Amino acid sequence: MIIFATLRMSIRALRRNTLRTLLTMLGIIIGVGAVIAMVSIGNGAKAQVEAQIASLGQNVILVMSGNFSRGGFAMGFGSMPTLTKEDYESIRREVSGVAASSPEVRTAAQIAVGSQNINSSILGVGDEYPDVRSWPIASGAIFTEQDVRGANKVAVIGKTTATTLFGEGDPVGQIIRIKNAPFVVTGLLSSKGMSMMGQDQDDIVLVPYTSAMKRLSGVTTFRSFQIKSVSSEAVTEVQQQITDLLRQRHKIEPGKDDDFLVRTQQEITQTATEASRVMTLLLGSIASVSLLVGGIGIMNIMLVSVTERTREIGIRLAVGARSRDILLQFLIEAIALSLVGGILGIFLGMGGSTLVSSKMGWATLISMDSIVISFLFSGAIGIFFGFYPARKAAQLDPIDALRYE
Amino acid sequence: MKAEANGHPVIQLDEMSKTYHTGEVDVHAVRGVSLTVKPGEFLAIMGASGSGKSTMMNIIGCLDRPTGGRYLLDGVDVNDLNRDELALLRNQKLGFVFQGFNLLSRTSALENVELPMLYNRDGMSSREQRERGLKALEMVGLSDRADHHPNQLSGGQQQRVAIARSLVNEPKLLLADEPTGNLDSHTSIEIMGIFQKLNRQGMTVVMVTHELDIARYTMRNVVMRDGRVVSDVPVANRLDAADELEKLRAEQQAIQLAP
C-alpha cells in the first residue's frame, strides 16, 4: 500500500476527533515547547557569559592574591594580601611577552560634584588598564604614567557616573571630590553596559592605583594583577613565567600550594561555559520528562483507538490488508500525532522564549539545532510509543475483529 | 467476471475439518466436509446455529485455516499459506458481504468501495481506483449515492455498497454471510436480485443463510448439522427476484385498490 494513501487516511482519522487529537498532542506540544524554551534560556545564558568573558579583553591573564582561610573556611581568592607592589614591578621587569598590564585595588566611596553625589566603585589601576581590558576611552585620555608615579589626583570616569554627576555635559577637565579630595577628570570611558550579574559596569571611577592606596583606602597590597600577553600563543608561557616568579618571590617551597592564583581567560571561559552547559543540560532534561509523558499519552490514546476501531481493522483485514498495512496505518497515525504536536511545540517554545526574554529580561537563544532535534525526537516518540498499539492492531485475528461489537 | 473456462472448481473441500481447542475441551466445529463448487454456481449453505456453517464460511473465506483435510480455492491449496498470503488471496479472489454490512462509517460510499483496491498490490492510480469504484456502484444501482456516508443510506443501500465493495477487485468468488439478515423482506428480495444478476453474468456466489425462502433464490442448497453436510440438493422451484418483486408490487396495489 502506498504510504501517501495511508497518510491521508491517518490524517482523516485524526481530524475525525479534533478535540481528542489536540488533547493527545498537548503532551508533546508542551514537552517540545518546554525543551526549546529551556534550551534557549540555557544557550542565551551561555552566550552572555562568553560575551562577558570576551569583554575582559583579549589574551588576559588574571593574577589573584591568595586564598585566605580561617578555621577551615576559605574566604576566596583575593582575600589574603599577598600581592605587593614589588611583585607587580618585578613581573613588569622580568616576565617577557607582556603587552600591557595593570594592578587593581578596589574601594568604594562617595563622589560628589556640587550637590550631586554618587556611590561608585573606585578602581585603582595603572595607566595601561584600558588597553588590558580592551576598554576604549570615549573622550579625553587615561591618566599618564607620571600621574601614577606621583599619585596624582586624577580620575577617569564611567558613563553612568558621568551622567549622574554632570548630566549630558562633558566631564573632562571637571573636578570631582572623592572622600573630599578633589580629583581632575581626564577622561570618560566608553559604555560597557550591564554585567551578567546585573551590575552596571559603567558606574565606575578609575584612579591611579598609587592614589587609591595612599589617599583613598590605605591598603598596601593588590587584589589582582591583569596582564595582557602579546599574543594568544604566548599566554601559557607568560602564565608559567608569572607563576615561577611569584613562587620564587614568595619563597614557596616545591610541593607547597601557591598563595596566589594565575588564571588565563581561556580557563575562566571554560569554567563558565561548563557551568552554563550543565545548566542547559539540566533544564533540557527536566523538560524532556514532559516529552516522555506526552509520548505515554499518545500510546494511551492509540491503544484506545485500536480497541475502538477493532471492527474497522477486521473489515480491512477481510478485504485483504496485510498485518504490515495495519501496522503502518496506526504507526503513521501516531507519528503524525507526535510530529504535528512537535511542530506546534516548536512554535510554543519559540513564543515562550521570546516572552521570557522580553518580560524577564533574560537572554535567550533559539538554536536551529534544538528545533531540528526536538522535531526528530518527537517523530521518534511517535514511532516508539506508537509501535506497541500498532502491533496490537496488526496482530488482531480477522474473525475476532469482525465479530467485535 | 466471466466464468472460468478451465475446469478446476472454485471451491474444493476434501474431508475438511476444523477443531477449536478451548481450554480442555475440543470443539469439533466441522467434521470432515467434502464439497465442490464449480464456476458459475449459486450456493446456499444452511443450518441452525452451531451447525458449523459459520466456520465453513470463515474457512472458505480464507479468514481461518482448516485443522484437517484440504481446501483448494481456485486451485490454490490454502493450508500452505501464511497470514499475508491469505490476505492477498482474500484481496484478489474473494469478495465478502456480511450480515451487518460492515462499512466504514464516516467514509463515503465510494471510498468504502475503493477500500479493497487500497490493498491491491498492482499499484493502481487513484483515478483508476475511482473509475472502478464508480463502475461497481453503478452495477448495484447506487452511482448517485457515491458521496453519501453509510449513515445517510438505508440498510438495503448499505448492503448494496458492501456488494459493490466485494466486486471491485473482480473476485472469483462472492461470499455472503446472512446478507439479508438485517433487511426487511422486500429489500431482501432486491438484494437477492442483485446476486442473481451477478450470478447470471458468471459470478460464483456462496451464501450462508437460515431463511428457507431466501435459499430458494439460489441454485443449490447445502444443509449442515453438527459439522456435517446432511443434504446437498439442487433447488427445484427456483425463485426469480424480478418476478417476486413484481408479485409483491401487484399485491400491494391490490390492497390499496381494495375498498
Side-chain angles (χ1 to χ4, degrees):
Chain A
M1 181 166 42
I2 315 150
I3 300 248
F4 183 70
T6 318
L7 188 67
R8 213 175 38 191
M9 205 156 69
S10 307
I11 286 171
R12 187 182 304 158
L14 293 177
R15 280 176 54 185
R16 214 168 276 165
N17 206 333
T18 325
L19 181 64
R20 184 207 271 188
T21 302
L22 219 65
L23 288 174
T24 310
M25 284 193 301
L26 204 59
I28 295 288
I29 295 174
I30 291 172
V32 169
V35 168
I36 292 208
M38 291 302 173
V39 170
S40 86
I41 289 168
N43 280 340
K46 192 172 136 209
Q48 210 178 19
V49 166
E50 279 166 359
Q52 209 66 53
I53 290 161
S55 80
L56 281 178
Q58 288 282 298
N59 306 324
V60 171
I61 298 162
L62 199 65
V63 183
M64 303 278 282
S65 62
N67 187 354
F68 180 73
S69 58
R70 184 192 299 162
F73 286 101
M75 307 296 277
F77 285 95
S79 58
M80 197 158 88
T82 54
L83 297 178
T84 63
K85 197 176 170 196
E86 287 70 36
D87 287 336
Y88 177 63
E89 278 161 0
S90 74
I91 288 173
R92 298 273 319 206
R93 230 178 11 251
E94 291 172 36
V95 173
S96 59
V98 174
S101 67
S102 171
E104 187 186 297
V105 285
R106 257 174 215 232
T107 179
Q110 195 81 5
I111 300 154
V113 172
S115 61
Q116 299 293 326
N117 65 75
I118 182 172
N119 207 353
S120 294
S121 62
I122 295 167
L123 246 54
V125 294
D127 58 296
E128 289 173 353
Y129 185 75
D131 190 17
V132 172
R133 291 288 308 271
S134 310
W135 194 350
I137 305 286
S139 156
I142 184 74
F143 39 78
T144 62
E145 208 188 327
Q146 279 78 18
D147 289 329
V148 175
R149 223 176 293 138
N152 291 345
K153 288 183 274 186
V154 285
V156 172
I157 61 179
K159 191 85 180 50
T160 307
T161 315
T163 315
T164 313
L165 295 176
F166 301 105
E168 291 306 311
D170 187 1
V172 176
Q174 305 275 359
I175 307 281
I176 55 173
R177 303 186 75 86
I178 308 174
K179 284 194 175 170
N180 265 334
F183 280 69
V184 180
V185 177
T186 64
L188 173 69
L189 286 162
S190 60
S191 178
K192 228 176 180 179
M194 291 276 198
S195 78
M196 59 181 163
M197 312 301 280
Q199 272 172 334
D200 184 358
Q201 300 183 92
D202 296 324
D203 183 11
I204 198 167
V205 175
L206 302 182
V207 298
Y209 63 88
T210 44
S211 316
M213 292 162 92
K214 217 157 108 187
R215 300 181 193 280
L216 300 176
S217 70
V219 296
T220 52
T221 57
F222 295 109
R223 188 170 174 275
S224 67
F225 303 149
Q226 290 175 30
I227 292 146
K228 183 181 181 176
S229 79
V230 287
S231 67
S232 56
E233 291 79 36
V235 167
T236 322
E237 170 63 23
V238 171
Q239 185 188 17
Q240 192 56 49
Q241 285 184 53
I242 294 169
T243 310
D244 292 345
L245 179 68
L246 288 181
R247 282 184 73 91
Q248 187 196 329
R249 287 188 57 83
H250 293 185
K251 302 186 172 60
I252 297 164
E253 287 163 32
K256 289 268 173 62
D257 288 340
D258 294 346
D259 62 354
F260 56 90
L261 181 77
V262 186
R263 278 277 175 274
T264 66
Q265 202 188 340
Q266 282 93 325
E267 287 168 343
I268 297 166
T269 312
Q270 265 170 22
T271 318
T273 48
E274 177 61 22
S276 55
R277 202 183 64 84
V278 168
M279 184 176 91
T280 307
L281 208 68
L282 197 72
L283 289 174
S285 50
I286 291 168
S288 344
V289 172
S290 54
L291 256 182
L292 193 76
V293 174
I296 293 167
I298 285 188
M299 177 145 91
N300 185 18
I301 285 298
M302 288 310 294
L303 281 170
V304 171
S305 177
V306 167
T307 312
E308 273 180 356
R309 286 154 71 191
T310 301
R311 209 172 227 288
E312 176 194 327
I313 295 163
I315 297 168
R316 288 177 187 278
L317 288 170
V319 301
R322 290 165 297 180
S323 298
R324 80 182 82 141
D325 295 324
I326 302 294
L327 183 88
L328 203 65
Q329 181 189 343
F330 282 89
L331 202 54
I332 283 180
E333 224 173 284
I335 295 169
L337 255 180
S338 63
L339 280 188
V340 173
I343 290 168
L344 294 178
I346 287 169
F347 286 120
L348 181 77
M350 285 161 82
S353 93
T354 314
L355 199 72
V356 161
S357 64
S358 69
K359 291 276 174 211
M360 305 178 75
W362 294 1
T364 57
L365 187 76
I366 298 166
S367 67
M368 202 59 214
D369 283 5
S370 66
I371 289 177
V372 171
I373 289 172
S374 28
F375 182 74
L376 293 178
F377 195 66
S378 54
I381 279 182
I383 295 173
F384 186 79
F385 288 104
F387 189 78
Y388 175 70
R391 205 178 62 126
K392 214 179 142 195
Q395 286 178 341
L396 282 176
D397 181 68
I399 299 169
D400 292 341
L402 275 172
R403 219 180 278 149
Y404 187 84
E405 291 298 330
Chain B
M1 241 169 274
K2 293 276 165 283
E4 283 290 301
N6 56 2
H8 61 75
V10 179
I11 297 171
Q12 190 178 348
L13 292 171
D14 292 332
E15 285 300 312
M16 190 276 283
S17 63
K18 178 75 185 179
T19 309
Y20 293 105
H21 305 280
T22 43
E24 289 170 16
V25 215
D26 285 356
V27 179
H28 302 279
V30 178
R31 309 159 184 257
V33 168
S34 296
L35 184 75
T36 304
V37 178
K38 290 201 257 320
E41 278 198 86
F42 190 178
L43 187 93
I45 299 175
M46 305 177 64
S49 61
S51 63
K53 61 182 196 303
S54 290
T55 307
M56 275 274 284
M57 206 57 176
N58 288 337
I59 285 167
I60 293 172
C62 296
L63 291 166
D64 207 350
R65 269 175 297 208
T67 46
R70 256 180 11 135
Y71 170 37
L72 277 78
L73 172 67
D74 195 32
V76 180
D77 195 335
V78 169
N79 293 37
D80 306 335
L81 303 181
N82 65 29
R83 198 180 147 108
D84 282 354
E85 288 164 332
L86 285 177
L88 182 69
L89 214 57
R90 289 196 295 271
N91 186 253
Q92 303 287 310
K93 300 203 171 181
L94 294 169
F96 286 96
V97 178
F98 303 97
Q99 177 175 5
F101 322 133
N102 276 342
L103 298 176
L104 298 184
S105 54
R106 288 188 251 198
T107 308
S108 74
L110 180 61
E111 284 166 322
N112 264 294
V113 174
E114 285 178 358
L115 189 66
M117 290 188 282
L118 193 64
Y119 302 108
N120 194 319
R121 272 44 139 207
D122 299 342
M124 250 181 284
S125 72
S126 53
R127 188 194 295 158
E128 201 183 340
Q129 290 188 10
R130 197 181 155 77
E131 278 168 11
R132 280 178 69 166
L134 285 170
K135 211 179 99 193
L137 276 175
E138 202 186 311
M139 221 179 293
V140 296
L142 274 182
S143 31
D144 56 331
R145 296 280 196 277
D147 295 326
H148 286 56
H149 284 193
N151 57 5
Q152 297 168 310
L153 298 170
S154 70
Q157 285 170 331
Q158 289 188 49
Q159 193 61 301
R160 283 198 259 169
V161 172
I163 295 172
R165 180 179 65 191
S166 73
L167 295 174
V168 80
N169 263 350
E170 296 174 355
K172 290 277 182 319
L173 173 65
L174 207 59
L175 285 174
D177 189 358
E178 304 269 11
T180 59
N182 285 11
L183 301 173
D184 61 63
S185 58
H186 186 268
T187 318
S188 297
I189 299 170
E190 281 178 357
I191 293 298
M192 290 318 292
I194 293 173
F195 283 130
Q196 285 189 331
K197 185 177 121 196
L198 292 168
N199 178 243
R200 271 197 297 276
Q201 290 167 354
M203 176 64 72
T204 314
V205 183
V206 172
M207 185 175 83
V208 163
T209 186
H210 62 268
E211 296 169 85
L212 279 166
D213 50 334
I214 289 298
R216 283 179 65 201
Y217 290 91
T218 67
M219 288 159 39
R220 176 180 167 192
N221 287 358
V222 172
V223 181
M224 293 192 67
R225 190 181 302 142
D226 300 329
R228 289 196 178 86
V229 173
V230 291
S231 106
D232 183 352
V233 290
V235 177
N237 302 314
R238 193 174 174 215
L239 294 176
D240 183 81
D243 296 347
E244 293 304 308
L245 282 174
E246 189 54 46
K247 259 188 244 171
L248 267 180
R249 218 169 290 132
E251 272 170 36
Q252 269 169 354
Q253 254 169 6
I255 292 166
Q256 274 166 8
L257 290 175

